[in-house]
Amino acid sequence: MFRVNENYLKLPGSYLFSTIAKKVGAYAAAHPEESVIRLGIGDVTLPLPPAVITALHRAVDEMGAAETFRGYAPDLGYEFLRKAIAEHDFAERGCEISPDEIFVSDGAKSDSANIQEIFAADSRIAVCDPVYPVYVDSNVMAGRTGSFDADTRTWSDVIYMPCTAENGFVPAFPESRPDLIYLCFPNNPTGEALTKAQLQDWVDYANREGCVIIFDAAYEAYISRADIPHSIYECKGAQTCAIELRSFSKNAGFTGLRLGYAVVPKALRDRNGVSLHALWARRHGTKYNGAPYIVQRAGEAVYTPEGQEQVREMVGFYMKNAAYIRTGLKEAGYEVYGGVDSPYVWLKTPGRMTSWEFFDYLLEKVHVVGTPGSGFGPSGEHYFRLTAFGTWENTVCAVDRIRAL
C-alpha cells in the first residue's frame, strides 16, 4: 500500500487564513443582517492599472493571430520583461543585476515556498518571529523543522528571531548559526522596515557565517523613507549571500493575475563552489512552464511611464488607508506600529487579550475582521494585523467602528 509524505502530517491544524475564513463565514451566516468589513487578508481592491489592461488586450490579440501566437515561455521568462526589471528595479538603484539572473514566476508566494528545494535536507532555518507562515510551512513539508510544540507553537529545529516592540522589530543575530535566513522587509505582518545600515549588518553576518538570506521584498513599493533599502542588493556583498523575491501582486494589483520573480545571482555559491543560479535554473525548467505571455506583457507595462504613474497612484491610495488606520487607532489609545513603509498596521491587543480573543471581540462587537498575530508565530501573541487594502469607505467605517468601542 502506498504511503504519503509524513512531513505533511506534521502541519498543525488548518492554515491561518483558512481558519479566519471559516470563522467569518460562520458568523456571517448566523448574522446576515450585519455588514462585515474584512481587513484581514492582504488582497487588493483597486482594479488593474489602465496601462496593464491595455497591454493585456494587445497581448490577447497577438495570441489570436497565427503569425504572433506564443507557446511555452522561455524558462527564465521573456527577455522583454527581465530587461525591464533589471533596469527599473535594480540598475536605477545602483544594483548590478543582469536579466539572466532574474527568474520570472507566478508570484513570490510560490518562490518563497519552492526556493528551499535547492538546499540540503538538513539545512537549519532562521525566521523572524512573527513570520509569514509559508516560510515555515514549506520547510515543514521538506522535513527540516523537527517536532512541533503545541503549547509554544514552535518547531524544535527552527531558529526563531523575536521581532517585537521591545527590540524595535529588528531581529538580533541568532545564537546558533543557521543555513537559511528568511527576512521580509518591509515586514509582513508587523509593517516595520530595516534601515540600509541594519540590512547591511545582516549581509555582513551571512557572508561571515556562510548563510544564505532569502529576502522577501514584496512590499518595497510602499517604502516612503529615504534610509530604507528597496533591494538587498543595495548592500555591499549581497550578491554572494542573498536571493531576493519580488511580487507584482501588491504594487500593481496582480493578486488575481499572478506574476513575480526571484533573483539568484551567479556569484552565489555553496561551500563547494556549486552555483545556486544553475540549480534554480534546473529546478525552474523542470517544474515550471512559465508565466503566460499575456501576463508577462502586463508586467512589462508596469514599467512604462504610464504604468509607473498609475502604480504610484495605487500605492498612494492604499497608504492613505494605512495612515487613516494608524492615526485613528492611535487616537483611540491603541499602541500601533507599521503603516509608514508598508500597507500593514500592527497593533497591541488591549487589556492583554489574546490575539484570537481580540479577533472574536472585533468580529462580534463591530463586525471588523483582522488577522490574529499569534497566527504568525509565538511573538505575534497580543498583537493584531489590519491591512490597508480595503476600499476607502470600508477603511474609514472600520476604524470609526473600532474607535467607538
Side-chain angles (χ1 to χ4, degrees), residues 12-26 356 359 372:
S14 59
Y15 186 56
L16 169 63
F17 295 104
S18 299
T19 302
I20 292 173
K22 290 177 183 177
K23 289 175 76 76
V24 174
W356 277 108
F359 175 92

Side-chain angles (χ1 to χ4, degrees), residues 150-201:
D151 293 329
T152 62
R153 299 194 64 79
T154 59
W155 293 90
S156 60
D157 292 346
V158 174
I159 300 170
Y160 292 89
M161 304 181 294
C163 297
T164 64
E166 287 68 31
N167 64 5
F169 301 97
V170 177
F173 298 143
E175 293 182 3
S176 58
R177 190 196 74 84
D179 297 295
L180 309 179
I181 303 168
Y182 287 82
L183 297 179
C184 173
F185 289 99
N187 185 258
N188 177 18
T190 70
E192 293 293 317
L194 294 184
T195 65
K196 184 176 180 179
Q198 290 168 330
L199 187 56
Q200 182 67 61
D201 287 342

Side-chain angles (χ1 to χ4, degrees), residues 18-38 356 358-370 401 405:
S18 299
T19 302
I20 292 173
K22 290 177 183 177
K23 289 175 76 76
V24 174
Y27 181 84
H31 304 85
E33 73 284 358
E34 303 291 358
S35 173
V36 177
I37 298 176
R38 293 168 170 81
W356 277 108
F358 190 59
F359 175 92
D360 292 335
Y361 177 71
L362 287 186
L363 181 59
E364 293 168 6
K365 296 295 184 182
V366 293
H367 326 307
V368 172
V369 177
R401 288 181 184 182
L405 284 170

Side-chain angles (χ1 to χ4, degrees), residues 140-270:
V140 173
M141 295 170 183
R144 292 196 182 99
T145 51
S147 59
F148 183 70
D149 186 319
D151 293 329
T152 62
R153 299 194 64 79
T154 59
W155 293 90
S156 60
D157 292 346
V158 174
I159 300 170
Y160 292 89
M161 304 181 294
C163 297
T164 64
E166 287 68 31
N167 64 5
F169 301 97
V170 177
F173 298 143
E175 293 182 3
S176 58
R177 190 196 74 84
D179 297 295
L180 309 179
I181 303 168
Y182 287 82
L183 297 179
C184 173
F185 289 99
N187 185 258
N188 177 18
T190 70
E192 293 293 317
L194 294 184
T195 65
K196 184 176 180 179
Q198 290 168 330
L199 187 56
Q200 182 67 61
D201 287 342
W202 275 100
V203 168
D204 294 342
Y205 171 85
N207 277 318
R208 184 170 64 248
E209 298 294 332
C211 315
V212 171
I213 296 172
I214 310 298
F215 188 73
D216 188 341
Y219 300 97
E220 62 81 27
Y222 294 85
I223 292 171
S224 63
R225 291 179 290 173
D227 63 340
I228 307 298
H230 290 250
S231 168
I232 196 169
Y233 302 118
E234 294 177 45
C235 296
K236 184 178 180 181
Q239 293 195 25
T240 57
C241 71
I243 292 170
E244 183 164 301
L245 311 179
R246 291 284 192 104
S247 170
F248 286 77
S249 288
K250 306 301 167 61
N251 64 335
F254 278 41
T255 53
L257 203 54
R258 308 309 306 147
L259 188 65
Y261 64 87
V263 179
V264 185
K266 294 178 181 178
L268 182 55
R269 297 176 177 272
D270 81 345

Side-chain angles (χ1 to χ4, degrees), residues 63-363:
M63 294 290 280
E67 62 273 15
T68 53
F69 174 76
R70 305 288 182 129
Y72 290 121
D75 283 352
L76 272 65
Y78 286 101
E79 188 175 11
F80 60 75
L81 177 57
R82 290 185 289 108
K83 289 179 70 174
I85 290 169
E87 177 183 351
H88 292 281
D89 288 348
F90 298 104
E92 289 182 1
R93 297 193 180 279
C95 307
E96 296 183 3
I97 297 297
S98 64
D100 61 355
E101 293 176 308
I102 295 165
F103 296 79
V104 176
S105 71
D106 61 352
K109 182 176 184 177
S110 295
D111 286 340
S112 64
N114 295 331
I115 198 73
Q116 50 79 21
E117 291 184 20
I118 64 175
F119 296 96
D122 61 353
S123 296
R124 189 87 185 274
I125 72 166
V127 297
C128 293
D129 173 29
V131 60
Y132 180 48
V134 170
Y135 306 154
V136 176
D137 286 2
S138 58
N139 280 280
V140 173
M141 295 170 183
R144 292 196 182 99
T145 51
S147 59
F148 183 70
D149 186 319
D151 293 329
T152 62
R153 299 194 64 79
T154 59
W155 293 90
S156 60
D157 292 346
V158 174
I159 300 170
Y160 292 89
M161 304 181 294
C163 297
T164 64
E166 287 68 31
N167 64 5
F169 301 97
V170 177
F173 298 143
E175 293 182 3
S176 58
R177 190 196 74 84
D179 297 295
L180 309 179
I181 303 168
Y182 287 82
L183 297 179
C184 173
F185 289 99
N187 185 258
N188 177 18
T190 70
E192 293 293 317
L194 294 184
T195 65
K196 184 176 180 179
Q198 290 168 330
L199 187 56
Q200 182 67 61
D201 287 342
W202 275 100
V203 168
D204 294 342
Y205 171 85
N207 277 318
R208 184 170 64 248
E209 298 294 332
C211 315
V212 171
I213 296 172
I214 310 298
F215 188 73
D216 188 341
Y219 300 97
E220 62 81 27
Y222 294 85
I223 292 171
S224 63
R225 291 179 290 173
D227 63 340
I228 307 298
H230 290 250
S231 168
I232 196 169
Y233 302 118
E234 294 177 45
C235 296
K236 184 178 180 181
Q239 293 195 25
T240 57
C241 71
I243 292 170
E244 183 164 301
L245 311 179
R246 291 284 192 104
S247 170
F248 286 77
S249 288
K250 306 301 167 61
N251 64 335
F254 278 41
T255 53
L257 203 54
R258 308 309 306 147
L259 188 65
Y261 64 87
V263 179
V264 185
K266 294 178 181 178
L268 182 55
R269 297 176 177 272
D270 81 345
R271 64 187 180 187
N272 295 316
V274 176
S275 166
L276 269 64
H277 180 277
L279 294 184
W280 187 242
R282 179 61 184 269
R283 191 268 175 202
H284 210 62
T286 300
K287 294 190 174 185
Y288 187 60
N289 269 334
Y293 172 74
I294 62 174
V295 176
Q296 294 196 48
R297 280 296 187 192
E300 179 191 33
V302 169
Y303 296 103
T304 64
E306 298 81 8
Q308 290 286 280
E309 178 59 31
Q310 292 160 12
V311 164
R312 283 191 290 270
E313 291 175 2
M314 178 178 288
V315 169
F317 175 89
Y318 293 130
M319 289 311 293
K320 180 183 176 183
N321 287 350
Y324 192 88
I325 297 171
R326 180 182 172 91
T327 301
L329 294 181
K330 276 192 170 184
E331 291 175 351
Y334 287 90
E335 190 176 326
V336 181
Y337 305 93
V340 175
D341 294 297
S342 84
Y344 295 121
V345 175
W346 188 242
L347 63 140
K348 276 273 196 179
T349 58
R352 296 300 293 171
M353 278 188 181
T354 68
S355 55
W356 277 108
E357 287 172 344
F358 190 59
F359 175 92
D360 292 335
Y361 177 71
L362 287 186
L363 181 59

